[in-house]
Amino acid sequence: MNHEPKDKILSICADYGNQPDTLIEILHDVQVELGFLSTEALIQIADALNISRADIHGVVSFYDDFRREPTQGPTVKICRAEACQAVGGEDLAKHAKETAHTNIHDVYCLGNCALGPAVLIGDDLYGRVTPERLDALLKTKAAP
Amino acid sequence: MSARAIYVPCDAAALSVGADDVAAAIEQEAAKRDVQIKIIRNGSRGMLWLEPLVEVETDTGRTAYGPVAPEDVAELFDAGFLNGGTHDLSHGLTEDIPYFAKQERLTFVRCGITDPLSLEDYQTHGGLAGLRKTLTLSPEAIVETVTQSGLRGRGGAGFPTGIKWKTALEIDASQKYICANADEGDSGTFADRMLMEGDPFVLLEGMVIAGLAVGASIGYIYIRSEYPHAIKTMGRAVQIWQAANLLAGSGQTFEIIIRRGAGAYICGEETSMLESIEGKRGQIKVKPPLPAIEGLFGKPTIINNVLTLASVPIILDKGAGYYRDFGQGRSRGTQAFQLGGDIKRGGLVEKAFGVSLRELVEGFGGGSRSGKHIRTVQAGGPLGAYIPPHEFDVEMDYEKLADIDAMLGHGGLVVFNEDVNMAKQARFAMKFCEVESCGKCTPCRIGAVRGKETLDKIIAGENVAANLALLDEICELMTDGSLCAMGGLTPMPVQSAIKHFGEDFKG
Amino acid sequence: MALLIEKDFGTPASVSGEVIHLEIDGQNIQVPGGTSVMRAAELAGIDIPKLCATDTLEAFGSCRLCLVEIGGRRGTPASCTTPVEGGMVVVTGSEKLHKLRKTVMELYLSDTDNDPALVSLAQDLGVDDMPYDGCPQTSGKDETNPYFTFDPGACIVCSRCVRACDEVQGTFALTIEGRGAASKVAASMAEGFFDSECVSCGACVEACPTNALVENTVLDKGEPDRTVLTTCAYCGVGCSFKAELKGDELIRMVPLKDGKANHGHACVKGRFAYTYANHEDRITKPMIRGTTDEPWREVSWDTALNYAAERLKSTQKKHGVKSIGGITSSRCTNEEVWVVIKLIRAGFGNNNVDTCARVCHSPTGYGLMQAFGESAGTQNFDSVMDADVIMVIGANPTDAHPVFGSQMKRRLRQGAKLIVADPRAIDLVNTPRFKADYHLPLTPGTNVALINAMTHVIVTEGLIDEGFVQARCDKKSLASWLDFIKDPINAPDVMAEITGVSADDIRASARLFAEGGNGAIYYGLGVTEHSQGSTMVMAMANLAMITGNIGRAGVGVNPLRGQNNVQGSCDMGSFPHQFSGYRSVTDDATRSLFEDTWQRQLDPVPGLKIPGMFNEAVAGTYKGMYIQGEDVAQSDPNTHHVEAALRNLDILIVQDLFLTETARFAHVFLPGTSFLEKDGTFINAERRIGRVRPVRSSPTGKDEWQVTQDLGRAMGYDMGHESASEIWDEIAGLTPTFANVSFAELDKRGSIQWPFNDDHPDGTEIMHVDSFTRGKGNFVLTEYIPTTERTNRRYPLILTTGRILSQYNVGAQTRRTHNSQWAGEDFLEIHPSDADTYALQDGAWASIKSRKGETSLRVKISKRMAPGVVYTTFHHPESGANIVTTENSDWATECPEYKITAVNVRPTNHKSDWQKNLVVASQKSRRITEPAA
Ligand SMILES: Nc1nc2c(c(=O)[nH]1)N[C@H]1C(S)=C(S)[C@@H](COP(=O)(O)OP(=O)(O)OC[C@H]3O[C@@H](n4cnc5c(=O)[nH]c(N)nc54)[C@H](O)[C@@H]3O)O[C@H]1N2
Ligand SMILES: Nc1nc2c(c(=O)[nH]1)N[C@H]1C(S)=C(S)[C@@H](COP(=O)(O)OP(=O)(O)OC[C@H]3O[C@@H](n4cnc5c(=O)[nH]c(N)nc54)[C@H](O)[C@@H]3O)O[C@H]1N2
Ligand SMILES: Cc1cc2nc3c(=O)[nH]c(=O)nc-3n(C[C@H](O)[C@H](O)[C@H](O)COP(=O)(O)O)c2cc1C
Ligand code: SF4
Ligand code: SF4
Ligand code: SF4
Ligand code: SF4
Ligand code: SF4
Ligand code: FES
Ligand code: FES
Ligand SMILES: [Mo]
């Protein structure tokens, strides 16, 4: 890895005072910066925060948000929870998986349960998403 | 004439169905027509089926139009909506819409009415009155008021808030914390989100009051990462709040820090949440010690749900008795019910405890969106029971729901129509537990997997009776043996489905 | 004895003074407040099934086997996580509980692959058949660690391993990866144990309730069936162990929970690296040769001993009584050391006896004796748990005293403050969960300057503990010391120049130490192995005294003594000037005591120290040596000089386990016994006497002390000892500090901290409680005098040397175990900026040249080093660390200045001449001819 991401990572950690309790915030920010959490990045964070590699691995692997492999385009989260199931969410999810977008993930509730099926693309929430609407959204918002 | 005030919500649900586009279209259309308007981005009123719900400030009050699509905007102008003109999309005065009018809004009293980030608006509509009162009271008196109000935790367990606070107050410690639980992981719930996006200051006010009550000077708000809008709004609200320095002169301080979740349902459980705030795996910790005695960073910590904390200012403002007079039995005050799933008028209904499920689903909700027959309502999130139609008259309070082996949880109500297969829903409950539990204890970590597999066998018609018996054994262990309520309650949807919809479990 | 299974009470003991009464299964029970229901039940003899709980770890509550019913409470709480309450009525067994436990076990069996422990527990709990199709986890075994295997198929994800690594060892190398049903154990970032942060202490293996983590020896040979209690023979921590055997075969070493120094913990050496004792290189037959050019000849004991005796006697005849002498081994038992001392003093008739303490902690003995009147550390290890400010000076406990290092880390995680004075950033400076509050990376050799500046700050800022110094210390010495220390030459701003540590950090550390509560000093060779080693020991004693940090738990001046029995070998009197108990050979009364018992006239004149022996050997006046278990040719400084000395001897007898570097120069080789074959005692760094018990008979046919005694007999001095126990009785009879110690007493008590006599009937955890051994504490003036070893243009860098975790000293033992997989060679560690300056690449070869010699090592670039300072270890003979070190030494004790050598480094592509010669010489000198049939 060249120096720039490393400096960036260290400066993110420093912004949080290198405090171990801010790890999850740091991981979010670094992931935004790099698109994913590389092994090198994690080791640098662990060093900066005085935690072990095992500590950071345990945390990263516990939470769904964190990605260890490079991804393309914004994350697409499709709600698989009950309220969306009740209005066709499962068909939508199936459709989405078939369109084979690389960065599609299951999520359980997006807080849009009156307007399901719900989808979150990056930071943008969509309601009443039909397969057709999803296709259109993926084309415009989530093209890798 | 001064510019017409037009309200277009910035609530995520409204945005999810195009509120931004509508706001832009109105702006454009007004410019085109050269009329002076002022668009205010308010929170949502909670009538989500009407979103984007555009309100126009008229002489008689705020007039509602919805759901508005960008292509409707020109027509609305044509119909004179700036003066309250009628249109297919108009609903008259917002406050008169029965869905809204019939509610008892205490916690959500300002939500949808104000500009969420205007502290001025907040005060004009009654904000900060509770805090001002609080500053005249001793910690003991604050706690006593909350105790007397009968307020119970809205996060699901319904624990009396005053008693929790008293525990923390009585501990002598160099540092104490308030944590607002904004993880709102239950499917079918969105009230915390709506409140944080629609009236964030009330949460902050509630946290400060809690801090004053127990002697805590730092507060954390743990917001799930699935709520990017809420995170943004709360973040700005905290900046504005801190800048206003509302405790100046009181000799007290209160710092507020926002922490994001990272996609783990279990982090809504309080010990798991504390671990997560400490930057760790969200693994459940055993109690005792209670967090109120030894919580965040080992210090006494009050963890309350967003709605619990947001209910505190009005209690302090209007008095314990005022709040207590709502509700029934040991369930006092109001509850934010959230109607979701296959429902015609989905949204948020704040009502005193005691309203019937039928009234909520059929009255407020207007039945299913699909027009199909309603087969069941799941109350209280993914760990809640599936309630059959013959129980729909149950009065919604903690005890009455417990009597029918159901629970209120965070007040989410998810409506399913006749197409639902209850064995699959039961399987989903186990599957959900398999992926979302923390994995610490055996009944839940392995039980959920074996439970799911056993349900697969039942669904496939393999040794149904024997497998139902085995499933029962797993459920018993999960209920009685799990370390936390995640594993402890997962059997609730499963067993309610079997009990009430046995026909779906015949293979 | 039969296999010793120490009872597991499930959760740690509570220290509360409050007494709680409760009822469990109808029994009335009293326990301290804070005790778990589980522990209360276990104390009353009621066993509750458990898998995730163990009394070495905090309760966790994950397996849910230990559920109980409690009167008046809903549900079935876990007994391990539920504290007792007054009046509680607990039921540990009921229909419902049995059913729940049975279901838990069914779930475990459904998720694992026939683990024997689980299967048998399941049977006990009533599981007769499996209701589920088994679906064991499929991911592969982790066999990367040479000592143990992780089998996920037997893992119940109870986190005991993770918690042991965190709570007991403090390395945080393990985690649970993922969550929910996907949870599984991972080492570091799922790297496999070997490549992970794991230091192979084995705590996780020990904690594992199944065979998921298990010693490879158990997998290969099966479960042990009997136990012998013994003590680790590596470092000065002195961990107590259960040697677990199957029949006569040693299966594994398990640290004893009841061990007072280690409380059930161990390190990679003690737990795993005992296998050198079975290595094919081990010599078990006596050997002799005429000259060192000849190959060795295996001979009978009698032949060897008579040959040795004759050559010793003829040397004495030719060169005088004082022309021979010997070195005792701090690796051997007190009893073995005792007979060597006795042989030299009474048999040889002189005082030419010394030991490796000379090159190690001799300044400690001298300095503490001057200040306090006793040549030993002031505390027990557990004392650290009461320390509020810990100052670690020139010691690296996580590598060199790992079990104590773990204990110290535990205290630091609880919030004690830490000051580290070390030119290198040792692990303690920056380790998971805490950082040193101050790391003072002083220039090697400037300890005295640093400590003088710190004490200057304390004195001039009025932070002295007046009450303590007035009551406890010698007024006269105090007054003159105060005058000295107040002098501005000792001011931080002046000393900052010399030490390279900022004046602000000096002041801040001084204030923290003086004002931070209980202040404890822990130090090592970074203090002693210097020209001012003794001065520094006294300077630290001064610091402790003026801050009132002596005489209670949590304080003290604590040398982290090195070898398993270095304290003991010193206590026995392995010194040219002292008898046991640090009594002078010039003292007539003491001498006559010994003369009475030993039945010989003893020399009243002190003998030669090790450096003196070598100097006189080079000069040709010292001609014969008997060296027990010390490889001076590798470990003593300035190897060229040592080799020259050894080469000049007429007779060199080496008693060892292996043909060492020193044995290259020997004429007689007497095979020793390993600790697995010894009966006797070791004394650890906290003055704790522990028993070493044989787990098998000596492969040489003799105990080591017998060999020494037989050598004496061959020389005409018969000691007549019959057992180790009886030798000890002689020691106790002649040494007041040990007066009441006997093997029987040790067997009863487990271990004893000396003094143990009528004045100290229960031994002594903490010394100098009410007064100092010498009466009043003595302040010695400690002027800073720089070493003569200076850097210059030709030798611009300072080389400092030390050790690492997995290798031990000359490596004779650890190199012959799997430990070498972690450290197969010694490296030259260097800061990136220096590496840049001297064009050195990571992993490439560098030549290191001092005024004394030259060697080549591979480079490891590391930010732990300070610029200007390079580091290496001395664990491999061919590395030649001591080829470069000098014979500079401590002014008072001649302890070598291993920690400072001015060197230059440059890239190279070949080994040094000495290294090349060594290979040839080694092979030649180690030839053994087959004995004539
Ligand atoms: N694994 C393992 N354990 C061992 C041993 C072993 O070889 N391997 N050997 C045992 C023996 S015999 C002994 S004596 C002990 C030794 O144990 P320690 O005393 O801990 O040993 P060292 O690593 O030699 O040196 C300690 C530290 O002194 C620092 N130092 C060097 N120069 C200076 C200086 O001028 N000032 C200060 N303040 N610090 C300095 C070094 O950087 C090093 O970190 O360990 C014992 N335990
Ligand atoms: N450059 C440099 N050199 C150093 C040091 C340093 O820091 N830097 N440290 C110095 C220090 S502190 C020390 S203590 C010395 C240690 O140096 P040594 O004492 O030479 O080294 P050890 O490895 O402890 O073991 C010595 C010998 O004892 C043998 N032995 C082990 N057990 C037994 C037994 O039961 N019986 C017999 N007969 N023999 C046994 C071993 O096989 C080995 O050959 O090294 C010193 N040398
Ligand atoms: C699996 C699980 C998930 C939970 N999720 C939430 C949540 O998302 N939000 C919440 O406020 N409480 C949640 N809780 C309840 C909290 O543990 C806790 O009881 C609550 O935050 C306390 O606040 P209250 O007393 O104000 O309700 C959850 C509990 C469990 C067992
Ligand atoms: S019940 Fe489930 S979520 Fe709760 S501690 Fe056990 S494994 Fe974790
Ligand atoms: S062997 Fe020791 S260091 Fe390694 S993982 Fe196990 S407990 Fe941790
Ligand atoms: S390896 Fe052993 S100790 Fe670790 S989680 Fe698995 S069963 Fe428990
Ligand atoms: S710490 Fe020392 S005594 Fe204990 S096991 Fe390790 S080497 Fe042996
Ligand atoms: S501990 Fe090491 S240096 Fe000290 S006497 Fe023993 S062997 Fe020698
Ligand atoms: S269930 Fe899909 S958004 Fe809530
Ligand atoms: S022993 Fe108590 S839960 Fe495992
Ligand atoms: Mo040593």
Side-chain angles (χ1 to χ4, degrees), chain C residues 450-494:
Chain C
L450 177 75
I451 215 86
N452 282 354
M454 286 180 71
T455 39
H456 174 90
V457 171
I458 290 167
V459 168
T460 55
E461 295 189 2
L463 306 177
I464 292 191
D465 183 340
E466 284 294 343
F468 183 90
V469 285
Q470 292 307 328
R472 298 286 308 271
C473 301
D474 176 68
K475 302 244 163 63
K476 213 170 113 214
S477 72
L478 172 66
S480 62
W481 180 77
L482 284 175
D483 285 345
F484 155 74
I485 203 71
K486 280 190 214 150
D487 191 313
I489 57 159
N490 289 317
D493 294 295
V494 180

Side-chain angles (χ1 to χ4, degrees), chain C residues 522-562:
Chain C
Y522 291 90
Y523 72 94
L525 303 178
V527 162
T528 56
E529 288 176 348
H530 283 290
S531 61
Q532 278 202 295
S534 293
T535 315
M536 178 60 179
V537 172
M538 295 183 290
M540 292 184 304
N542 293 343
L543 172 60
M545 286 192 288
I546 55 162
T547 53
N549 281 311
I550 286 284
R552 61 180 187 278
V555 301
V557 181
N558 305 284
L560 294 173
R561 302 210 59 164

Side-chain angles (χ1 to χ4, degrees), chain A:
Chain A
M1 183 154 75
N2 62 30
H3 279 294
E4 273 169 45
K6 180 167 181 190
D7 292 347
K8 187 70 209 172
I9 290 164
L10 293 181
S11 92
I12 290 172
C13 293
D15 287 347
Y16 286 99
N18 292 323
Q19 288 301 313
D21 57 290
T22 63
L23 175 61
I24 291 167
E25 293 291 332
I26 291 171
L27 291 171
H28 275 304
D29 288 4
V30 169
Q31 180 157 294
V32 167
E33 196 64 39
L34 306 183
F36 75 113
L37 296 170
S38 65
T39 300
E40 295 86 342
L42 293 183
I43 292 172
Q44 281 152 12
I45 298 169
D47 279 354
L49 268 48
N50 246 24
I51 57 175
S52 69
R53 304 204 296 273
D55 286 333
I56 203 165
H57 179 65
V59 170
V60 168
S61 61
F62 186 90
Y63 296 97
D64 284 348
D65 283 356
F66 300 128
R67 317 258 170 266
R68 291 300 316 280
E69 302 294 332
T71 53
Q72 287 185 312
T75 305
V76 179
K77 292 179 179 170
I78 300 191
C79 178
R80 307 290 306 271
E82 288 93 332
C84 290
Q85 290 169 15
V87 292
E90 292 305 274
D91 290 342
L92 180 70
K94 204 168 139 215
H95 172 80
K97 296 248 154 102
E98 282 162 8
T99 62
H101 188 277
T102 50
N103 206 2
I104 289 184
H105 304 273
D106 293 339
V107 64
Y108 296 98
C109 195
L110 291 164
N112 203 19
C113 326
L115 300 174
V119 173
L120 186 71
I121 301 177
D123 280 352
D124 296 328
L125 181 65
Y126 298 93
R128 293 196 167 137
V129 181
T130 56
E132 298 71 41
R133 183 157 183 232
L134 183 65
D135 288 344
L137 285 170
L138 288 181
K139 210 170 275 164
T140 57
K141 309 273 176 184

Side-chain angles (χ1 to χ4, degrees), chain C residues 330 355-361 561-563 566 569-570 630 809:
Chain C
S330 295
T355 189
C356 76
R358 180 63 52 214
V359 300
C360 179
H361 268 283
R561 302 210 59 164
Q563 306 269 44
V566 63
S569 71
C570 296
E630 188 168 345
N809 287 351

Side-chain angles (χ1 to χ4, degrees), chain C residues 138-156:
Chain C
T138 45
S139 55
K141 293 185 186 179
D142 180 346
E143 296 177 327
T144 55
N145 184 296
Y147 294 119
F148 58 83
T149 297
F150 172 59
D151 175 7
C155 177
I156 58 168

Side-chain angles (χ1 to χ4, degrees), chain C residues 150 154-162 176 185 204 207-210 212-213:
Chain C
F150 172 59
C155 177
I156 58 168
V157 199
C158 65
S159 292
R160 271 168 71 158
C161 52
V162 180
I176 301 294
V185 171
C204 55
C208 182
T210 71
L213 275 166

